[in-house]
Structures are given as C-alpha cells and as structure tokens.
Amino acid sequence: MKDGTLGVGIIGFGFMGKTHAYAHRTLPFFYPSFGVRTKLVGVCTRRAEALEAAQRIGGFEVGVTDHRALLERDDIQIIHVCTPNDAHKEAVVDALAAGKHVYCDKPLARTAGECGEIVAAVEKFGRGQRLVNQVALQCRFYPATLRAKQLVDEGFLGKIFSFRACYLHSSSINPDKSLGWKLDRARGGGGVLLDLGSHVLDLLGHLVGPFEKVMADTATHIKQRPLPGSREMVHVESEDIALLLLRTRDGACGTVEASKLATGSNDELRIEIHGERGAMRFNLMDPNWLEVYDVRDPAEPIGGMRGFKRIETVGRFSPPGGSFPGPAMNVGWLAAHVASVFNFVDCAARGVAAHPDFSEAAELQRVMELAYQSAQRGGWVEV
C-alpha cells in the first residue's frame, strides 16, 4: 500500500467484474471518511477485443489477457476474481501465491474439492503474509440483514424454531435462451442451487447457525437449449429448480427454494425466521425494511401492540457509511456490493480477517454438494 492507496486488479469483466469495479469507483462517495483509497490498476479479460472497452469503462491503467500479468505487478495488492466458476480456483490460488489479498465472486469454486485446494492455498501462502480473503456474498451487507444479525446475536428471537427462504428468478423461462455458462454444469459446477441458492444458504447459515443435515430435490424442466450463437440444441444437465429441507445443529428446521423458473419474479430473495421470543422477515425486492415480531409486546386490548413492525433500516449503514446518498434514501442491490467491498478493503488495510471468508464459502459449497447427493439418491444426508 502506497500513500494509503491499495492497487486493484480485476480478473474477468463481465457483469460481476463491472459491479466490483463500480464498487471501488464509488467507495469515496459512500465512505468519504474512510482513510484508505483504492485504485483500479489492471483488468484481465479472456478476449483481447474486449480489453479496450473494459479499460475505458473501468478507468483501468492496463489491460491484459493473462491474469498472471496482473499478479506480477507490485502496484496491485488486491485481486478480484470475477470469472466463470470453472476459472475461479486457478486464479485464486495464483493470486494467493503471488501475495495478493483476494476477493472472489460466489460460489468460491465448482466443487468442494476445488474449495479445499483454495483453503489449503490460504494456509500455505496467506497466514504468514496476513493475506485477507472474502467471498462476494453481498446479501449479508444490506442494512436490514446487518440489523437482523445484530438482533439474532442479541437473543431477540430466543431459541429458533423454524425458517423458510427462497430465491426466485424468472430468467430461464424462455426455452430459446441459449446455454450460457451458468446453465452449463461443466463450467458452473451446478445450476440454480450454486448460483442463487448459495446466497440464501449463506444468509440463513449466518443468521440461524450451521446446518446438521439436508434433504433435497432438483428439477430441470427445460431439458434442451441452443448453444450460444447457434441453432444446435444440446442437453441441459444443470437444474433450474432446487428444493431443500434443512435442520440446524440447534434443532431448527426449515425449507429453501431456489428457482429460475419462478414466472413473474425478478430478484426475489425472501427469508423468514421464527423463534420462541419473536420472528423476522426480509424481502430483497423491498430491501429498505426488516420486519420483526416481538411476543413481549402486549396483546391486549384487541391485539394491543402485537404484530409485525417494519424497521426503517433503509440506507442506515453504520459509520463510516450511510452519509451518501443519505440514511433515509432507499437502498439498492449495488449498495450491498459496495458495502461488501468496503468490508473487504477495510480488513485488508488493517490486516484482519474478513467475512464471509474462503473457509465459510468452502463449507457452504460442501452443504450444496451434499444437497446434490441427496437429490440423486433420496433421503437425508448428514452435514
């Protein structure tokens, strides 16, 4: 770090690469009193013809087609891995070996085995150099979900009895949609469970604790799709719907649904948690509110003050965040990504562990892999 500035290199500049670059460009607006600055130094894209646009859009100084060229630079301390899943492991391990802090998009890799190799690389290269790692599971970083975590840790819910959660998209209902890499099991490692389910399972585990066992079923309703830019039809191996039953180590039980065939949905992550003292619920399509229910509120007369209340979390991030665009301004999807990147940069600058880290993401991957095993053979699988 030179003059309080951390140099950043981003590997992959598709949708998520642009999102991560946006977060860095806007950190000074969202966190004006933060003493650390970042600089977008380099970008790596697979296609040489995309480099000029990537540099222009992101404001990068250099563009390369081999990620190792970024890792050789002394003016880059942070690497973002925003490639398709099948390229995560190589890029992450190479970056750790080069002594870089690493921020990786979710899921951490295609398989639990690849995640294990990444965690081993953290142990091998990261501990002595105090390298910081984090996975982009940004749903933890909305003011509403940050407040939910505070309330859970304070014991607001008491003993948790049950939960239900879903993450719904309608992005795959068109049978003519081509087989992109997220629908290609060889490249993505799975289907909607890894893509959307990873978010909801991480948030649930963050709030209700580690899982003890899982039972799952999956479905692929559109079984053939055209290859990109072609009329050739190929078999679809990845699922577009996943349904899970889960039990935590503390005995809470619940359901998770992930679907890209939820007609009428946009980006709808819903979560409800019920406990002995209260309940809470959150919907990503209305992210400005955390709804809570407190059984300690009086129930009389005629209902008293009992009922779900909406906490106006809105844009009220804890300092040094929340001043821009303002605590009363509605919060959106990009704000959670900015907050997630801020958490990572802050931890990297201070040399402390960031969360969710690669070990947490590896455990998440293991749970999802066990869910796939359950879907194949039926019945509960111990976590």
Side-chain angles (χ1 to χ4, degrees):
M1 184 167 63
K2 182 179 180 181
D3 301 325
T5 299
L6 289 167
V8 177
I10 296 182
I11 303 173
F13 203 68
F15 176 68
M16 291 313 305
K18 294 180 178 68
T19 301
H20 292 199
Y22 170 90
H24 280 285
R25 292 291 294 270
T26 56
L27 279 176
F29 291 93
F30 284 90
Y31 298 90
S33 64
F34 184 39
V36 178
R37 292 290 179 261
T38 60
K39 181 180 182 181
L40 295 177
V41 177
V43 63
C44 174
T45 68
R46 183 181 51 171
R47 296 181 297 111
E49 60 270 24
L51 277 178
E52 181 181 352
Q55 286 184 252
R56 183 180 70 254
I57 293 169
F60 296 95
E61 293 182 0
V62 297
V64 300
T65 56
D66 186 337
H67 70 268
R68 288 166 291 193
L70 297 182
L71 306 183
E72 294 169 354
R73 297 184 65 99
D74 293 334
D75 56 352
I76 291 178
Q77 291 81 39
I78 287 174
I79 288 291
H80 285 244
V81 177
C82 303
T83 63
N85 300 348
D86 60 330
H88 280 194
K89 188 196 76 172
E90 180 185 13
V92 169
V93 171
D94 287 351
L96 290 168
K100 311 298 184 183
H101 305 294
V102 185
Y103 186 88
C104 183
D105 198 41
K106 60 79 204 165
L108 180 58
R110 288 181 302 178
T111 67
E114 289 183 352
C115 289
E117 293 182 54
I118 290 173
V119 171
V122 171
E123 294 291 334
K124 181 177 180 179
F125 302 113
R127 299 303 183 192
Q129 302 180 73
R130 302 182 74 179
L131 299 180
V132 176
N133 60 83
Q134 185 178 324
V135 178
L137 291 160
Q138 80 282 352
C139 292
R140 292 192 187 193
F141 293 93
Y142 288 94
T145 53
L146 291 166
R147 181 64 179 135
K149 178 61 173 173
Q150 290 176 346
L151 289 170
V152 168
D153 289 348
E154 292 168 5
F156 172 79
L157 297 176
K159 177 180 174 58
I160 295 174
F161 296 139
S162 66
F163 52 86
R164 57 189 55 80
C166 59
Y167 204 164
L168 308 177
H169 279 196
S170 59
S171 54
S172 292
I173 62 174
N174 182 359
D176 296 325
K177 181 179 181 178
S178 63
L179 188 80
W181 70 262
K182 286 190 177 184
L183 295 172
D184 184 347
R185 182 175 287 274
R187 300 197 66 193
V192 69
L193 178 58
L194 264 63
D195 189 28
L196 300 184
S198 56
H199 278 299
V200 70
L201 285 169
D202 175 71
L203 185 56
L204 265 179
H206 184 55
L207 295 175
V208 306
F211 301 114
E212 181 181 69
K213 58 183 181 178
V214 59
M215 183 164 60
D217 193 16
T218 62
T220 305
H221 286 283
I222 300 175
K223 301 184 184 301
Q224 286 193 320
R225 290 187 181 275
L227 289 171
S230 170
R231 293 185 178 182
E232 180 185 353
M233 303 296 288
V234 294
H235 181 69
V236 178
E237 296 183 349
S238 58
E239 79 286 352
D240 40 37
I241 295 176
L243 302 170
L244 282 65
L245 289 174
L246 294 141
R247 187 178 293 275
T248 71
R249 294 177 190 171
D250 291 333
C253 55
T255 62
V256 167
E257 176 187 359
S259 174
K260 289 192 175 182
L261 296 180
T263 307
S265 298
N266 289 284
D267 188 37
E268 190 159 344
L269 186 157
R270 301 199 306 261
I271 185 168
E272 297 180 5
I273 306 173
H274 302 269
E276 61 180 340
R277 298 176 184 169
M280 61 176 57
R281 61 194 185 195
F282 169 75
N283 189 334
L284 185 57
M285 293 303 291
D286 193 8
N288 299 296
W289 310 91
L290 174 67
E291 295 190 71
V292 298
Y293 183 98
D294 193 340
V295 300
R296 290 152 289 199
D297 290 337
E300 297 294 341
I302 317 176
M305 296 300 293
R306 189 76 64 88
F308 271 99
K309 301 176 183 63
R310 299 211 303 170
I311 300 175
E312 53 182 19
T313 50
V314 199
R316 290 173 171 83
F317 289 97
S318 297
S323 61
F324 177 85
M329 304 301 179
N330 58 50
V331 69
W333 183 84
L334 283 168
H337 272 286
V338 175
S340 180
V341 169
F342 164 76
N343 180 75
F344 171 71
V345 172
D346 181 43
C347 290
R350 294 188 290 119
V352 300
H355 296 282
D357 64 14
F358 289 175
S359 293
E360 293 169 86
E363 175 62 16
L364 172 64
Q365 190 83 20
R366 192 172 73 88
V367 171
M368 293 189 293
E369 209 158 279
L370 292 173
Y372 281 132
Q373 291 181 20
S374 171
Q376 289 175 353
R377 69 189 192 204
W380 288 96
V381 175
E382 298 289 333
V383 173

